[in-house]
Amino acid sequence: MALKIVKGSIDRMFDKNLQDLVRGIRNHKEDEAKYISTCIDEIKQELKQDNIAVKANAVCKLTYLQMLGYDVSWAAFNIVEVMSSSKFTYKRIGYLAASQCFHESTDVIMLTTNQIRKDLSSPNQYDTGVALTGLSCFVTPDLARDLANDIMTLMSHTKPYIRKKAVLIMYKVFLKYPESLRPAFPRLKEKLEDPDPGVQSAAVNVICELARRNPKNYLSLAPLFFKLMTSSTNNWVLIKIIKLFGALTPLEPRLGKKLIEPLTNLIHSTSAMSLLYECVNTVIAVLISLSSGMPNHSASIQLCVQKLRILIEDSDQNLKYLGLLAMSKILKTHPKSVQSHKDLILQCLDDKDESIRLRALDLLYGMVSKKNLMEIVKKLMLHVDKAEGTTYRDELLTKIIDICSQSNYQYITNFEWYISILVELTRLEGTRHGHLIASQMLDVAIRVKAIRVFAVAQMATLLDNAHLLTGNVQRKGICEVLYAAAWICGEFSEHLDNPTQTLEAMLRPKVATLPGHIQAVYVQNAAKLFATVLKSQEGNTDSTAAQETSQLMIDRLPLFVQSANLEVQERASCILQLVKYIQKLQQKDVEIAEEVIALFAGELNPVAPKAQKKVPVPEGLDLDAWINEPPSESESEDEQPRAIFAKEEPKHSRPRHTEVDEKELAKRREARKQEQANNPFYIKSSPSSQKVYQEAPGVEHIPVVQIDLSVPLKVPGLPMSDQYVKLEEERRQKDRADKKKKEKKKRKEKRSGRGKRHDSGPESEEDITPAHMVDIVTEEMPENALPSDDDDKDPNDPHKALDIDLDNLMEMAGRRPLADSEKLPVRSHRAAEVLKSPAQDGDAESAASQEPKKKSSKEKREKKKDKDRDRKKSKEDKKKKKKHKHEEKGEDLLGGQAEEPVVQSEATSEVAAPPTSTTAEVSDLDFWLSNAPVPSNTQEAATVVAAAEAAPTSEVASGTAPDSEPDEPKDTETEETKSSKHKKKKQKKEKEEKEKKKKKKHHHHHHHSDGGGEESVQNGTVEEEEPLPPMSNYCLLAENSYIKMVNDIQGNLQDGSQVVVSVIFENKCDSFLKSMEFNVLDSLNSKLQRPEGSGPHDGLTVPFQLPPGVSNEARFVFTMQSIITPQKLKGTLTFIVKNEDSSTHEKLDFKLHFTCTSYLISTPCYSDAFAKLLESGDLKCSSVKLEGVVMPFHHLLARICFRHHFSVVERIDSCASMYSRSIQDHHVCLLVKTSGQTVSIDAKCDEPTLLGNVLDEIKQTFSQC
Amino acid sequence: MIKAILIFNNHGKPRLSKFYEHYNEDTEQQIIRETFHLVSKRDENVCNFLEGGMLIGGSDYKLIYRHYATLYFVFCVDSSESELGILDLIQVFVETLDKCFENVCELDLIFHVDKVHNILAEMVMGGMVLETNMNEIITQVDAQNKMEKSEVTSVLA
């Protein structure tokens, strides 16, 4: 052995280590790849050796090669080997390698579960730490599910080093396994107040990350965070919290009001720029959320803008950048405060730093007005010319278009200028935004009627000079513009000066090099132009001109008929034939122009981009339902169950395709879309949603627009937009002069029709009259379209699954405790009803304090809870009353909080006062926020409420259960969480209720039911009919006055001879339980697996201790020889009960019952495989009848599935086939039928003894109920 | 969340890459190249924030970097991180490296990338900031190195 080690280390000396590898690579610069490939061969050899040190060295080198881009996934198994080394050195290497190259589809990951679990519970904190770090990088849904419970335990580890890592990794676990969020949340919340700042910071980090995606669920934590914010000195934590508040304020304006003051203080006091910046940011968020409500925050805005100006003026480019970034947020709601800093921002446009210029550009968007638009755009155009990189230039281009087109071209006074700008932009080289310019051209030409003449002239020039745009290959993006040009020239061809020339330009052979969709538009619009030309020429006496035009078409179109693009080909051949026919008629001297024109008659309206999506689906139309049943599946399925079982009752077969679940539907939809996309005959959505032809009945009432003739209509060649700026100046001057002259005369064209739109501009702009009185046609939307705008959400966002309501979990008892299905899985994820962790008891805060709980009977506890709740409620009402008083005195909330202990002592005349810590009070968000002004008339109501409340309070004090409407507390509670908007209403309602209550008092006594029972039903797996009752497989194992054990048994699929017994130990006494040892007497058939080296009769140490009131779960593995009969094993649990002064040894005997069911594993089975199995003839038959079963069929099935680990293969009416498999691969098939109260179960299995036992157990399950 | 941490030299040679989201090796290399391309063409006296890495993240993500002598330290983060905070974090990272390697230089990172990873693991875990206190980080790193040393000597003894 020693020799081997020595040999191993000598071997190692000759191996290359990481440093040698790196050196080697550096020495082989020329043939690096070759050198590395020989290294990889060496590494492969090393990995084959037994010596773990050699392997670890190899894996370490692989990690380096991975960074260089080499795929090392082939060594995944070796990495796992190194991970499982007992030496920390190697373990760390293994985990590092795993974290660098493992991911969800790495198949060896599933082998690591047990190793990681072992490392997590290692006594060495660094083993645990390394495992947590590694896991955080490659956690998969399976790992998250299997290890969630272990990690949760680590959150309460004694070492803060482990705690903070465990807390942090929980976020990853939540992402992969969202079900863990609810059960883990109370503990996470508790960590917010951990004594260690690192742990606290980690908890803040995780909650901020969660809240960022689903802020509304975390509103109730606001008071706690507020407390942290005012107490913490750690800037990291502060920044996170302040950022979180920024996300929360939009949801709750009252929160914002509360925040302003402390944030302003921080802004004034902090020296850390990062903190200052985040404070400013959050204040801005607050101001945005308040902008509609409170006008009186100009001081805060001024403060922010002022601080930001300081940042922007700073020489540090980082601060400058961030200042601009934050400024753009203010801009949205308070444009005026920003506009006064226009000078600064324009200055930033000239900054040498591109990031800063981009930010300044963003700000410009909000700075423009009618007055300065031209000036700003001119400046931007200069930048466009100067810009070196295409990205920045493209950004400039989009910004120019954004700025000009914002709010329906609000700031554009001269559209000719705008068209000129657009045309100038087409001269940009290599821009990707051709389509953007094109769509603007189309939009303006369609919507601004007056500009069409000008636009058409410009577009004709563009078409004429098309070679300039298409000449260079690099300019591909820009040729999209021709699409718009061709379309505009065709559609508005009546405005063309020289249509023949344009027609000629559109039919040049060069056009054939354009992309297909543009050619298609060319062809179509050539036809429109042709119609116009025809019409103009037909009036002439000489018909040859017209015939020449037709000949031109006939000559040129065949080029397009040969196009590879189907669309082009189709249109061209269609139009070619049409022209040929026209030519024939022309030769007969038939007047045809009118008829040809009629082909393209009709106005068109712009349609809003989302119009199609917004058409509501008519009632009763289910787009996902089958129109006809699919033929293939149904036939075989219908026959199949009949053939198998001997006795068969007549049953109706019914189509059950509607039962297809959502996922399946989504998949099919996707497949259908795919199919459509590949189908050339399926019409796809067109790239521009705006060119939809429509008969427009509403065109007549679009007012005709007058054109100001101060602008020259004829612009030679390509226009220079600059001249418009000059012209505009002159025009404005003239306007002003005119105005002075005829002050009393109102100008005809002055905003008569469009007053509204102009009002929104700054006041100074009133002086500026638009050169064009344009009518902007608004985009059309379908009738009764839904205004919702949430169609942009990504359905694949992993955070969607984390949108879980956590409030109820944290507030008062009995509201909505964790449902059974929400318990964290312990190896197998199944329910644990009997599990009585303090968290489940409802009071989250009692879990936090882990205070010893008085052991009391269930009834007593329930009563207490009721009292508790009512007491709190009354307290709340009192507080409300108080609050009004505070308002009168103008007192702050924190003062109110300080008074709480007094309130508490008032109400606590009870016997056993359960812990009502301040956290409970603080979590009452509504109260916390309630120093916001309340309408005065509610005060009256509040006093009435308080008066009404007095009576019940005294009753609580006397110890009887309070009487009230059974559903009343729920009502008020839910209402309390609503925002202040409802406050008035709520209080009125409360008042009514109280009055009702008064009347009803002494009439009937109601015990509140726990409420949790009902609620959890709704959380359970709900089928289509009724909700299922909660179920649990945990059954009582043994109990005495100290401890209670419940257990569940699960087969281990990976090992056919193993079952896992999960035992939950619950400490029922006031003392500490420790040194628990679990032991059973092995039988010949079944043995408890003990660690290596321990004797066959040694007990197993339970790996935890139990403080009072706490429960925890441990797992024990048993090995089974035969699984066909049930077995019982006797066992003992020994433990030490430790009090402050004494400790005693105690023991508890139990009998562990292994049913045959526990060897079964619920395995899904497809109906065809099921049919094959039954037909194979290897299975033996057996059957059983159950009488007097009164429960819905789906409950019955659910019970069999749940208790006996079956899965439903298929269900038809009152008949279902089910399947399960044993750990030793016996197939068990059931056919369950019900009629009235009789249930008959026919079963088949390849092992008759097992089958008999399983059936007996099923029978027993149903005889119990 | 931090999506990736990259260290490369003035020529774009990767010295450390840590991705907190899975990409295949080719994409990783492409991201490193693209990031290097974006970062390297920026002047010394411009701001340390960069938007518009197409491969990684998208619009919500920013590149925050610092340039020290021959090395670029680049963090790719989303909007939940404070920009200035991350700049501080980079500073802490570099100072920690300096302490651990005693006057750190590029060669240290070249030959001991595993150690750099171990140090980083004490600062950032799974894309979230774990610890920002340099002394705490160094304590933990040293303790682990000590453990490693005792194991190595026990093997050789």
Side-chain angles (χ1 to χ4, degrees), chain A residues 709-841:
Chain A
L709 285 177
S710 65
V711 177
L713 282 176
K714 248 191 182 175
V715 179
L718 291 174
M720 276 303 290
S721 56
D722 286 358
Q723 63 195 73
Y724 286 95
V725 181
K726 260 182 227 157
L727 282 170
E728 183 72 12
E729 284 292 301
E730 286 164 21
R731 194 178 64 84
R732 279 183 200 171
Q733 258 169 9
K734 205 182 123 214
D735 271 6
R736 253 171 262 145
D738 278 359
K739 224 179 170 186
K740 265 181 199 165
K741 260 187 222 164
K742 27 185 171 172
E743 240 171 349
K744 278 160 201 172
K745 263 192 191 171
K746 277 206 170 173
R747 284 181 59 124
K748 234 199 263 171
E749 48 205 283
K750 201 176 171 188
R751 280 162 290 139
S752 47
R754 310 188 54 250
K756 255 185 235 160
R757 199 158 269 150
H758 287 224
D759 284 346
S760 49
E763 287 156 351
S764 60
E765 294 186 4
E766 293 295 318
D767 297 340
I768 303 164
T769 44
H772 286 167
M773 295 302 298
V774 270
D775 179 82
I776 294 173
V777 188
T778 44
E779 294 171 326
E780 287 199 341
M781 279 294 237
E783 281 172 51
N784 53 33
L786 307 164
S788 69
D789 221 0
D790 47 23
D791 31 24
D792 300 326
K793 275 193 182 162
D794 178 13
N796 295 327
D797 185 3
H799 297 278
K800 229 179 158 181
L802 287 178
D803 189 0
I804 296 167
D805 184 11
L806 297 160
D807 279 0
N808 301 335
L809 191 69
M810 303 177 304
E811 280 173 34
M812 292 145 76
R815 192 81 88 70
R816 190 185 157 212
L818 291 175
D820 289 342
S821 58
E822 289 175 323
K823 284 281 173 253
L824 272 189
V826 185
R827 169 144 294 177
S828 68
H829 51 299
R830 271 187 299 134
E833 192 179 38
V834 224
L835 182 104
K836 276 256 166 50
S837 76
Q840 198 201 12
D841 266 3

Side-chain angles (χ1 to χ4, degrees), chain A residues 1231-1264:
Chain A
L1231 182 71
V1232 186
K1233 285 169 291 188
T1234 178
S1235 60
Q1237 295 191 353
T1238 313
V1239 177
S1240 67
I1241 301 175
D1242 298 306
K1244 280 195 169 187
C1245 176
D1246 39 10
E1247 176 51 69
T1249 326
L1250 177 70
L1251 183 61
N1253 288 322
V1254 169
L1255 286 182
D1256 284 348
E1257 284 162 17
I1258 293 179
K1259 204 168 176 179
Q1260 209 181 353
T1261 307
F1262 287 98
S1263 65
Q1264 279 166 359

Side-chain angles (χ1 to χ4, degrees), chain A residues 392-419:
Chain A
Y392 178 58
R393 213 177 43 190
D394 280 354
E395 190 61 31
L396 273 170
L397 190 152
T398 45
K399 268 286 123 59
I400 290 174
I401 289 179
D402 274 358
I403 288 173
C404 292
S405 64
Q406 66 174 309
S407 26
N408 250 337
Y409 309 102
Q410 185 187 343
Y411 300 117
I412 294 185
T413 49
N414 186 335
F415 276 91
E416 288 186 12
W417 164 81
Y418 186 46
I419 294 273

